[in-house]
Amino acid sequence: MPAFVLFELQDLICSNQGDNDFCPGGFLYQKPKESSPFLSLGRHVDVYFPPRKRSRISAPFVVSGEPKQQPSIEILPDECLFEIFRRLPGGQERSACACVSKRWLMLLSSICKEEICTTTTTQFLEPEIKSDAPKADKFTEPKEKGESDDLNEECLENDSHGYLSRCLEGKKATDPRRFGQAFHPRKFLHPKLTNLGLKAVSRGCPSLKVLSLWNLSSVGDEGLSAIATGCHSLEKLDLSHCPAVTDKGLMAIAMNCPNLTSVTLESCSNIGNESLKALGVNCRNLKCVTLKTVHSLVTRELRANFQSLNVSDVSLAVIGHYGTSMVDLALGDLQNVNERGFWVMGKGHGLQKLKSLLITSCQGVSDMGLEAIGQGCPDLKMFVVRKCPLVSDNGVVSFAKAAVSLESLKLEEIHRITQFGVFGILNNGKLKALALANCLGIRDVAFGFPLTSFCYSLRSLTIRNCPGIGNTGLGMLGKLCPKLTHVDLTGLQGITDSGILPLVQRTEAGLAKVNLSGCVNLKDNVVAEITKFHGETLEVLNLDGCKYITDVSLMAIARNCSVLSELDVSQCGISDYGIAVLAGAEQLNLQILSLAGCSLVSAKSLPFLGKLGKTLFGLNIQHCSGISCGAVNLLVEHLWRCDILS
């Protein structure tokens, strides 16, 4: 053994003084004679080994009988030691060197995976540690006598996967100990350290899956950002009483740890909505978010989206009781929540500020739950319910009556609602928008509805793909809602001119947007009446798929409409003559024109399209078989400011 290594080992033994035992006492070797090949002691050397104490050396060790000046590896600068350490052959050698001194430990902890000059990096970064109890015990430090119970030593706890859990509490939770732990476990709990310690963890433990930081004022965004950079396998994060952590650190975790499934935040005063938004956008596997006393969130408006979570009725009860700052709530595919959960959420009276509620594919939503929600959310303005099979007329009518501030209601694939439920909803005096989509239970029923029950507040009516809606029901809606400005009747193939005309003629406020896409039985008479009564207010008109619409309708539009900006006559029976009529209307300032699928439109209309193109931003001439590719190229060259689809 080289002399300087032997001297360094002896100095290490002699310089460690304190209460901890280095060796059990007696000689270093079981037989004193075994030391003779390594240590040649002169006569003037006096070595004494007291029981249970470290060795006391009163004179320097001597090799070959003559004292020499002790060379030491410690004289090397950090740069040299760094180069030596990163060339060590394996993780076992690096771990041994980390035990020599704090200086060596700090240097080793600063080595990143990419800087190690060996092909066995995984052995260093992810050591294979068995979870058998006898083997784990050898890593556990003996607890000193008289030490307080709440100041625990390092402890190892095996989890179900065979990985180790390291826990530091009290005075034992320091950066040097964290550096030492960075060579072994995959899971850390309760560290008390600084950003420097977390940086060491990020370098030494790329497979870290669980991180809990409790009662730490010294850990901030810098440490969390280091974890985010080096530990992409993180699955669970628990931050409690960490005032230095802000949105910046948590957003770094969200953007770099896609496997995150659980986040717990408690008493983190500087964490706000931005970081939670980043978690929702980037962490697709996120299943649980727990917020406790996060003041920066409580004082702001909260928005929460709970989709496909394994939560029970208790979770909704908590939301209903403690969601005092909740303004936007979305619940989707909660299969384990039954009728009682939604009822308790409404009865909790904590959602007083809730303004928007979306419920999708929740089998437990019933009429009783809807009524309770309506009563418990007095400030609710927008409510959307989709694919909830237990909701019927009684539920939506009771909800509309109980929700005194309701302005917008959308029902999608609610097949148990009928025409009676629709008219019952309209009794809500403050409802401004009603949307029905794919509700197959609605059928035309001729019954006497009191004409005194008008819904003067309703401005927007949307009925999409409800095949049971016919002329009778539509005519009654026109009588009950005289103040409509937006009408969307997409896909109502059963209605004709006689159903649309009462609605158009009785509307007093002036229609601004009309969508009749897919109403295949409508004719030019409807367009003529719409432009006659509402030509001065009509801004958007969609007639896509109305095959009986011809150039006569375009003539009515050119004659009566003055503020029309969007016109869609795709798959209609218009021709070049109709385009020419539109181009001749000086008051028209069309911005978007769609002629897709109009087979009668040919290249003869190009000059007229060029004239219309002075104001157009978008032109759709897809599937217009009468317009050749060369004509399209000329049009594109001429209307270079217009976005042309061809």
Side-chain angles (χ1 to χ4, degrees):
M1 178 182 296
F4 76 92
V5 176
L6 182 58
F7 287 142
E8 194 61 22
L9 176 61
Q10 293 165 355
D11 288 345
L12 177 63
I13 297 174
C14 299
S15 60
N16 285 278
Q17 299 179 0
D19 297 332
N20 294 329
D21 295 334
F22 179 81
C23 60
F27 292 101
L28 283 171
Y29 298 88
Q30 295 181 357
K31 297 179 181 181
K33 294 182 179 181
E34 294 179 359
S35 62
S36 58
F38 300 95
L39 302 179
S40 179
L41 305 179
R43 295 182 179 180
H44 58 283
V45 176
D46 182 17
V47 181
Y48 173 66
F49 296 95
R52 305 292 295 176
K53 295 291 183 179
R54 293 190 180 92
S55 59
R56 306 290 183 176
I57 303 177
S58 57
F61 286 99
V62 179
V63 178
S64 301
E66 296 180 1
K68 296 181 180 180
Q69 186 178 1
Q70 298 180 4
S72 174
I73 196 174
E74 292 294 339
I75 65 174
L76 295 177
D78 290 346
E79 292 79 5
C80 294
L81 290 177
F82 181 88
E83 293 298 326
I84 294 173
F85 292 154
R86 77 188 192 97
R87 286 172 169 80
L88 291 175
Q92 185 175 0
E93 288 78 2
R94 281 184 286 272
S95 297
C97 291
C99 299
V100 172
S101 66
K102 287 184 179 180
R103 181 192 177 197
W104 287 26
L105 176 59
M106 299 284 282
L107 285 174
L108 283 163
S109 66
S110 66
I111 301 176
C112 299
K113 177 181 179 181
E114 295 77 10
E115 297 172 335
I116 298 176
C117 299
T118 177
T119 58
T120 58
T121 54
T122 54
Q123 182 182 357
F124 166 57
L125 294 174
E126 300 182 19
E128 183 178 357
I129 303 177
K130 302 296 183 179
S131 59
D132 298 335
K135 295 184 180 181
D137 290 342
K138 69 179 181 180
F139 293 100
T140 306
E141 297 179 1
K143 189 173 181 179
E144 295 179 358
K145 186 176 181 180
E147 186 179 8
S148 176
D149 292 336
D150 62 337
L151 302 179
N152 296 331
E153 276 283 4
E154 295 181 2
C155 63
L156 299 176
E157 299 174 358
N158 299 323
D159 63 10
S160 59
H161 300 287
Y163 301 143
L164 294 177
S165 301
R166 186 64 61 93
C167 171
L168 291 181
E169 298 179 359
K171 295 180 179 179
K172 299 298 180 181
T174 59
D175 278 339
R177 286 182 177 269
R178 178 57 65 211
F179 293 147
Q181 287 184 349
F183 289 95
H184 297 290
R186 293 187 178 182
K187 178 177 176 181
F188 298 103
L189 301 175
H190 316 306
K192 184 178 181 182
L193 69 163
T194 66
N195 293 326
L196 189 61
L198 280 186
K199 288 182 180 179
V201 172
S202 68
R203 299 187 192 101
C205 304
S207 296
L208 182 68
K209 293 185 177 181
V210 180
L211 177 63
S212 298
L213 306 177
W214 295 357
N215 301 314
L216 297 176
S217 59
S218 55
V219 170
D221 296 336
E222 186 180 355
L224 274 191
S225 298
I227 292 293
T229 302
C231 306
H232 300 293
S233 299
L234 191 67
E235 296 179 358
K236 295 182 180 180
L237 177 65
D238 185 354
L239 303 178
S240 178
H241 295 85
C242 298
V245 177
T246 68
D247 283 334
K248 181 180 178 181
L250 193 54
M251 288 173 66
I253 293 288
M255 290 185 289
N256 292 280
C257 302
N259 297 327
L260 207 61
T261 61
S262 175
V263 175
T264 300
L265 305 174
E266 181 177 359
S267 299
C268 297
S269 56
N270 291 314
I271 291 180
N273 291 328
E274 294 301 322
S275 56
L276 295 184
K277 185 185 298 185
L279 288 172
V281 171
N282 298 287
C283 302
R284 300 298 183 182
N285 298 322
L286 193 63
K287 296 181 178 180
C288 179
V289 178
T290 303
L291 306 177
K292 301 178 182 178
T293 321
V294 184
H295 298 289
S296 58
L297 295 177
V298 173
T299 57
R300 304 177 186 179
E301 296 180 344
L302 294 184
R303 292 170 173 80
N305 190 341
F306 300 94
Q307 300 287 334
S308 304
L309 300 181
N310 188 22
V311 298
S312 63
D313 298 340
V314 177
S315 299
L316 290 196
V318 172
I319 293 174
H321 185 75
Y322 294 103
T324 55
S325 297
M326 192 78 67
V327 296
D328 191 345
L329 178 61
L331 306 173
D333 196 23
L334 304 182
Q335 301 297 329
N336 295 328
V337 179
N338 57 34
E339 182 182 37
R340 182 175 179 82
F342 290 95
W343 182 84
V344 173
M345 184 180 73
K347 292 296 183 179
H349 298 290
L351 299 176
Q352 299 293 312
K353 297 181 181 180
L354 188 66
K355 298 183 183 299
S356 174
L357 176 61
L358 169 63
I359 301 177
T360 303
S361 301
C362 293
Q363 307 295 322
V365 179
S366 65
D367 295 341
M368 183 179 66
L370 283 187
E371 184 177 6
I373 292 173
Q375 294 172 351
C377 306
D379 203 29
L380 188 65
K381 297 185 181 299
M382 186 182 74
F383 179 53
V384 179
V385 56
R386 299 188 180 113
K387 301 179 181 180
C388 297
L390 299 181
V391 176
S392 67
D393 290 340
N394 294 332
V396 294
V397 172
S398 299
F399 173 84
K401 291 180 179 179
V404 294
S405 301
L406 187 65
E407 296 180 355
S408 176
L409 175 63
K410 182 177 181 179
L411 306 176
E412 184 175 346
E413 295 190 37
I414 307 299
H415 302 308
R416 296 183 64 184
I417 187 174
T418 66
Q419 196 175 55
F420 294 98
V422 174
F423 291 133
I425 292 171
L426 296 176
N427 282 330
N428 184 349
K430 295 185 178 181
L431 193 64
K432 296 181 179 180
L434 174 63
L436 307 172
N438 301 296
C439 297
L440 305 182
I442 301 177
R443 295 285 188 275
D444 261 357
V445 178
F447 67 96
F449 199 83
L451 295 179
T452 56
S453 302
F454 295 106
C455 186
Y456 292 103
S457 62
L458 195 69
R459 296 290 185 270
S460 176
L461 175 64
T462 300
I463 304 177
R464 288 176 171 264
N465 302 315
C466 297
I469 292 287
N471 293 333
T472 302
L474 201 59
M476 295 188 66
L477 287 174
K479 295 178 181 179
L480 296 174
C481 309
K483 300 294 184 180
L484 290 174
T485 59
H486 296 67
V487 175
D488 186 348
L489 304 177
T490 301
L492 301 188
Q493 299 181 3
I495 63 174
T496 61
D497 294 357
S498 60
I500 294 289
L501 289 178
L503 186 146
V504 172
Q505 295 169 352
R506 288 185 172 89
T507 300
E508 303 172 358
L511 292 175
K513 295 182 179 180
V514 177
N515 187 350
L516 301 176
S517 174
C519 300
V520 295
N521 294 317
L522 298 184
K523 299 181 180 180
D524 292 325
N525 189 32
V526 171
V527 179
E529 290 297 308
I530 292 175
T531 58
K532 177 182 177 180
F533 286 94
H534 310 286
E536 295 181 355
T537 59
L538 190 63
E539 299 175 1
V540 178
L541 179 60
N542 190 337
L543 301 170
D544 183 10
C546 300
K547 57 185 179 180
Y548 296 119
I549 298 298
T550 65
D551 293 337
V552 176
S553 295
L554 295 187
M555 294 171 62
I557 292 172
R559 182 173 56 252
N560 299 317
C561 296
S562 58
V563 295
L564 188 66
S565 61
E566 296 184 24
L567 176 61
D568 190 342
V569 287
S570 301
Q571 305 181 64
C572 294
I574 64 172
S575 66
D576 297 333
Y577 178 76
I579 303 298
V581 171
L582 280 180
E586 297 181 356
Q587 81 280 6
L588 273 182
N589 291 296
L590 283 177
Q591 297 180 0
I592 297 177
L593 176 62
S594 180
L595 306 173
C598 296
S599 58
L600 300 179
V601 176
S602 67
K604 296 179 181 180
S605 63
L606 291 185
F608 309 114
L609 290 176
K611 187 176 181 180
L612 289 171
K614 295 178 180 180
T615 59
L616 284 179
F617 294 122
L619 175 62
N620 187 354
I621 52 176
Q622 290 180 316
H623 309 295
C624 292
S625 56
I627 302 178
S628 64
C629 295
V632 171
N633 293 334
L634 290 176
L635 191 62
V636 170
E637 183 179 353
H638 182 67
L639 303 179
W640 57 271
R641 293 190 303 176
C642 179
D643 186 11
I644 299 178
L645 297 178
S646 60

